[in-house]
Every structure is written in structure tokens, then in C-alpha cells.
């Protein structure tokens, strides 16, 4: 199992490209199931989750071809399709649930294993099921599989007004994709507003879908009989960009993040500016300059749905707070188990106390290298950031989590001057 060895204490300088967003690419790969015509995506990140999704789609009969240097991928889902998502693939990635809506809309049936992924807390699929049932699907959960089919005598889903009990990104995406081929209008209330949802909607519109209101809490979808092929560039990964912002902020230095979208990171940028980090937004990327964590001011924050502070940036900013000056309180409202990185940060010398859903961080600590273990995707990134600042050598184990969501992270950090290497 691969590990990362990092020798800390070096500032970061230079330029790195920000890859396409994992959380946009995965649903957009699934959108290929909605049409028999070719779908070409550009800027698809090279990630383990993307490779898993490709294998899953190919198992259903989708033809997939990669091309070009910018992450080009063309998919074609000609009939007949095999509407099955087996446990062996789904267990490693919760985003696999995103095949459920497209398969049901296109094939009239689907058998999808209950998903796996990072153990950061409950992410129930009941909202997906509730919405599809409102659209006329008959769904049961048996032996670890979601069994879904159209009601007898129906050839298409039907439009419905659906209000989810919570804001759910994958739920919004699944129901939006299913609704594109339904009869009549579907209205999604309490919809997720994340940039990745907007990017998926723009792709579906390019395929011929009729969607309005994406980016707001109410999305209107007027179903059409069929969708066509399209070409689309995956939006830049705001979480990767935010991770590099925190890395440069903690280690000190100056960097240019090519392709990063500052307008997708308002909450994170606001906290970095308050901490004393310089952030410059340009149409083609973002610049960041920092004197280093010891010269910064720790910031309290509370995670919430977009456009609030993203839960996927909580661990990375907490690592910054460990070395910035002063106390801070980090409250996690989205996932109940997303403090598993805390004990590993403590191994590096951080002072953190957990009380319920709030972590109290005493900043200004001098971290020292140690062997630590990644417990989930974003926890991995927080340990890398802490290691960049720590004195001596840090070894981060179980970095397969990191490979699920970051495109060649160690190479990009090395390009910025970090002393980091992958050990097989």
C-alpha cells in the first residue's frame, strides 16, 4: 500500500493547474446513460473514483474512450444496456448511486447496490428513493440492493414536485437526471446549489434537456422524449483549489493556481483573508501569498451547505488553524464522523479537543513529524498540509483515500518546491 513521505519546513512557490472537479465529473459520466449518442467530456481528472466509475459504466455496456492530454473522455451508451451496479464496485464509492436515476429513466429498471465510500458519517439514499417513487417508480431494498422499475403499463417516469427532507447534492443530481426524460414537469424543492450541480445542469442542457433554476433551491425540469450527445468541459475542482490555498497559507510562499474559480470559494477565501493570507482572483485562476501559519490568525467557522463553508474543506482549514495563532472553534454540521483526522493531527503535535460536533483548536503549535494514517479523502489532505509545516519527516499511510479525489497531488506539491515523495 502506497505512502507519502514528507519533510516539512519548506515554503511553496510556483504554479499548478487545478484539475476538473471529481464531484462534477462523476455525475457527468453517469449522464452518458441518458442518451444513445456520444458524450465527450474534457478536463476529466485522473482519479481512482473516476476509474471505478468508468469500470462500472463499461460493465453496463457503455463504450468509453480516452483521448487528448486534457483529460478527454468520450462515452456512448448504445442499447442494450445492462442496468446493474454490483456491490464489488459500488462498495468503494458512494457516487455510484448516481447511476440509479439515469438507468431508471432510460431503461425503465435498475438494480444498484447500496453504496460504500468514506466512513465519515451517514449519507442515506432515502431521499433518492423518495424522489423517484414520487415520479412513479416502484422501489424495494432487498439483500443490499435497490431494486427499481417503472410501474406496470408505464414507459416513462412522470414529472412531480419533490421536496427533499435535507439538502443533498447527489440526490439533487440523481433526480435532475431522471427528470430530464420524464413525462411533464418536475420541480425539485430544497435543491442543492453547489457549482457541481450547476455544471451538471449545463451539460444536460447541452444534451437537449430543459432545465431552469439550477444554482437556486428550486429547479424546474421539463421532461423530453430523448437526449442527444454533447461536448462539455468539467468545471475546475474548487476543493482541490481550496486545499492548495490552505497548503500555501500554512507553509508560506506564493503560488498561482491555474484555472481555479474564486467565485466558487467565497466562504473559504473570506476566512483566509481574515487570517492574513493574500488571495487574488483573476478570470484564469487564483494567486495566493502567505507569510506562513505562525504569522496568521486562526479562524473559527461552521460548515454548511453551499454557498456556506464546505464540509469538504473543514479538515484542511483545521490543519491551518493548528499552526496559526490563537484559539478557534470548528463546527461540523454535515457529517457526524468527520473529525477522524483530529487524533492524527494530535500525533503531529496539534492541540485539539472535541465536544460533540465542535472541535476546539489551540493554535500556534510547533508540529513535529510522525507516522500518521489517513482515514478518509479530505482527512488525507489535512495530514499532508500539517506535514508540510511539521519539523522533520512525516509518513502518511493509506493514501489510497487521497488518490480517490486528488489528481497527482504529490507531483503538484513537488512542483511548488515541497519535499514529498510516494513510497510504493
Amino acid at each position: 500500500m502506497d505512502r507519502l513521505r514528507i519533510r516539512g519546513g519548506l515554503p511553496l512557490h510556483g504554479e499548478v493547474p487545478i484539475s476538473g472537479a471529481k464531484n462534477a465529473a462523476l455525475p457527468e459520466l453517469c449522464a452518458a446513460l441518458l442518451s444513445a449518442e456520444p458524450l465527450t467530456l474534457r478536463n476529466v481528472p485522473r482519479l481512482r473514483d473516476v476509474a471505478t466509475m468508468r469500470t462500472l459504466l463499461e460493465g453496463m455496456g457503455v463504450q468509453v474512450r480516452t483521448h487528448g492530454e486534457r483529460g478527454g473522455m468520450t462515452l456512448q451508451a448504445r442499447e442494450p444496456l445492462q442496468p446493474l451496479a454490483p456491490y464489488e464496485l459500488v462498495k468503494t464509492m458512494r457516487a455510484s448511486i448516481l447511476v440509479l436515476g439515469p438507468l431508471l429513466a432510460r431503461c425503465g429498471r435498475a438494480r444498484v447496490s447500496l453504496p460504500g465510500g468514506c466512513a465519515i458519517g451517514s449519507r442515506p439514499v432515502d431521499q433518492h428513493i423518495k424522489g423517484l417513487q414520487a415520479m412513479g417508480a416502484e422501489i424495494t431494498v432487498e439483500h443490499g440492493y435497490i431494486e427499481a422499475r417503472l410501474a406496470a403499463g408505464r414507459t416513462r417516469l412522470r414529472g412531480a414536485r419533490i421536496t427533499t427532507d435535507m439538502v443533498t447534492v447527489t440526490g439533487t443530481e440523481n433526480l435532475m437526471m431522471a427528470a430530464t426524460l420524464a413525462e411533464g414537469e418536475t420541480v425539485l424543492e430544497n435543491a442543492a446549489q453547489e457549482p457541481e450541480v450547476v455544471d451538471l445542469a449545463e451539460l444536460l442542457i447541452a444534451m437537449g434537456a430543459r432545465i431552469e433554476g439550477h444554482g437556486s433551491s428550486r429547479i424546474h425540469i421539463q421532461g423530453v422524449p430523448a437526449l442527444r450527445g454533447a461536448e462539455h468541459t468539467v468545471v475546475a475542482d474548487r476543493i482541490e483549489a481550496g486545499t492548495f490555498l490552505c497548503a500555501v497559507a500554512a507553509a508560506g510562499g506564493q503560488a498561482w493556481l491555474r484555472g481555479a474559480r474564486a467565485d466558487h470559494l467565497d466562504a473559504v477565501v473570506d476566512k483566509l483573508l481574515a487570517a492574513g493570507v493574500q488571495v487574488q482572483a483573476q478570470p484564469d485562476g487564483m494567486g495566493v501569498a502567505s507569510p506562513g501559519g505562525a504569522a496568521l490568525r486562526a479562524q473559527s467557522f461552521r460548515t454548511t451547505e453551499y454557498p456556506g463553508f464546505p464540509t469538504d474543506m473543514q479538515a484542511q482549514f483545521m490543519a491551518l488553524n493548528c499552526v496559526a495563532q490563537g484559539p478557534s472553534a470548528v463546527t461540523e454540521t454535515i457529517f457526524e464522523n468527520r473529525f477522524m483526522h483530529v487524533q492524527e493531527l494530535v500525533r503531529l503535535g496539534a492541540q485539539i479537543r472535541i465536544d460533540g460536533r465542535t472541535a476546539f483548536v489551540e493554535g500556534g503549535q510547533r508540529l513535529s513529524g510522525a507516522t500518521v494514517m489517513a482515514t478518509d479523502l479530505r482527512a488525507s489532505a489535512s495530514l499532508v498540509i500539517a506535514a508540510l509545516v511539521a519539523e522533520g519527516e512525516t509518513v502518511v499511510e493509506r493514501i489510497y483515500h487521497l488518490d480517490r479525489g486528488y489528481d497527482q497531488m504529490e507531483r503538484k506539491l513537488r512542483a511548488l518546491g515541497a519535499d514529498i515523495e510516494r513510497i510504493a
Side-chain angles (χ1 to χ4, degrees):
M1 199 174 295
D2 287 3
R3 299 172 290 167
L4 286 181
R5 181 166 60 201
I6 304 166
R7 297 176 180 88
L10 298 175
L12 303 178
H13 292 277
E15 177 180 325
V16 291
I18 298 302
S19 302
K22 173 179 88 88
N23 291 337
L26 294 177
E28 288 167 7
L29 291 170
C30 295
L33 294 167
L34 293 166
S35 174
E37 297 183 14
L39 170 63
T40 296
L41 299 175
R42 294 178 295 272
N43 202 31
V44 179
R46 291 162 290 186
L47 305 172
R48 179 171 293 188
D49 276 8
V50 169
T52 300
M53 184 64 79
R54 173 178 179 164
T55 302
L56 178 62
L57 293 172
E58 287 177 328
M60 296 175 185
V62 180
Q63 296 177 345
V64 184
R65 178 174 59 89
T66 57
H67 50 84
E69 297 180 358
R70 288 198 58 218
M73 187 177 291
T74 296
L75 307 93
Q76 188 162 15
R78 292 192 183 98
E79 296 178 349
L81 294 173
Q82 177 65 26
L84 169 66
Y87 171 74
E88 289 71 22
L89 291 173
V90 174
K91 68 180 180 181
T92 66
M93 183 178 63
R94 289 182 181 267
S96 304
I97 192 66
L98 288 164
V99 302
L100 178 61
L103 284 176
L104 190 56
R106 174 92 180 278
C107 304
R109 60 191 177 93
R111 187 170 190 259
V112 179
S113 172
L114 291 170
C118 287
I120 59 175
S122 175
R123 291 192 273 190
V125 299
D126 60 325
Q127 301 304 303
H128 304 241
I129 294 173
K130 169 187 171 182
L132 292 171
Q133 286 174 329
M135 297 171 70
E138 295 179 347
I139 300 178
T140 59
V141 179
E142 297 177 341
H143 309 296
Y145 277 82
I146 301 170
E147 306 275 358
R149 63 178 60 250
L150 296 180
R154 295 202 63 87
T155 58
R156 294 169 63 187
L157 293 168
R158 63 172 182 265
R161 180 176 290 273
I162 302 168
T163 303
T164 54
D165 298 331
M166 63 184 75
V167 177
T168 161
V169 174
T170 55
T172 299
E173 292 167 339
N174 227 342
L175 297 175
M176 184 167 63
M177 286 191 284
T180 60
L181 295 180
E183 290 181 325
E185 184 181 59
T186 298
V187 180
L188 302 181
E189 302 277 6
N190 202 26
Q193 303 174 47
E194 274 73 1
E196 296 80 16
V197 174
V198 175
D199 200 54
L200 172 62
E202 294 297 334
L203 165 63
L204 295 172
I205 291 170
M207 296 173 69
R210 298 172 60 187
I211 303 174
E212 296 179 349
H214 44 295
S216 75
S217 62
R218 178 182 294 133
I219 302 177
H220 292 258
I221 307 105
Q222 187 70 41
V224 297
L227 294 180
R228 58 179 178 266
E231 295 187 5
H232 180 76
T233 300
V234 180
V235 69
D237 194 325
R238 62 192 171 100
I239 304 303
E240 183 188 40
T243 299
F244 277 95
L245 288 173
C246 286
V248 176
Q254 187 169 350
W256 176 253
L257 310 182
R258 190 169 70 249
R261 292 278 300 270
D263 57 326
H264 292 169
L265 282 166
D266 285 344
V268 175
V269 169
D270 286 348
K271 290 296 180 182
L272 287 171
L273 292 173
V277 180
Q278 297 179 39
V279 180
Q280 182 184 26
Q282 296 290 344
D284 57 344
M286 298 176 67
V288 55
S290 171
L296 301 179
R297 300 176 296 276
Q299 299 296 309
S300 297
F301 62 90
R302 178 186 185 90
T303 66
T304 187
E305 293 85 1
Y306 188 85
F309 197 99
T311 180
D312 279 353
M313 282 300 304
Q314 177 253 105
Q316 300 92 307
F317 210 103
M318 185 186 292
L320 172 60
N321 275 347
C322 290
V323 295
Q325 299 299 318
S328 61
V330 176
T331 302
E332 173 60 52
T333 71
I334 307 298
F335 296 124
E336 65 272 19
N337 294 336
R338 205 159 204 178
F339 283 149
M340 292 188 291
H341 52 280
V342 166
Q343 291 306 313
E344 301 304 304
L345 289 173
V346 169
R347 284 180 54 80
L348 296 173
Q351 290 192 19
I352 308 172
R353 176 178 60 86
I354 298 176
D355 184 0
R357 288 202 166 200
T358 300
F360 296 93
V361 183
E362 190 59 46
Q365 305 305 312
R366 294 183 63 181
L367 304 184
S368 58
T371 298
V372 292
M373 181 180 68
T375 53
D376 61 71
L377 170 55
R378 306 308 173 185
S380 308
S382 75
L383 298 178
V384 170
I385 292 171
L388 292 171
V389 183
E391 297 177 353
E393 182 177 285
T394 299
V395 175
V396 183
E397 297 186 335
R398 293 177 62 179
I399 60 166
Y400 61 84
H401 288 295
L402 198 72
D403 294 337
R404 287 186 48 233
Y406 289 95
D407 186 347
Q408 304 179 86
M409 187 185 208
E410 74 274 14
R411 292 189 183 183
K412 293 180 179 181
L413 284 172
R414 198 156 50 240
L416 293 177
D419 188 344
I420 179 172
E421 61 179 327
R422 179 181 290 254
I423 305 170

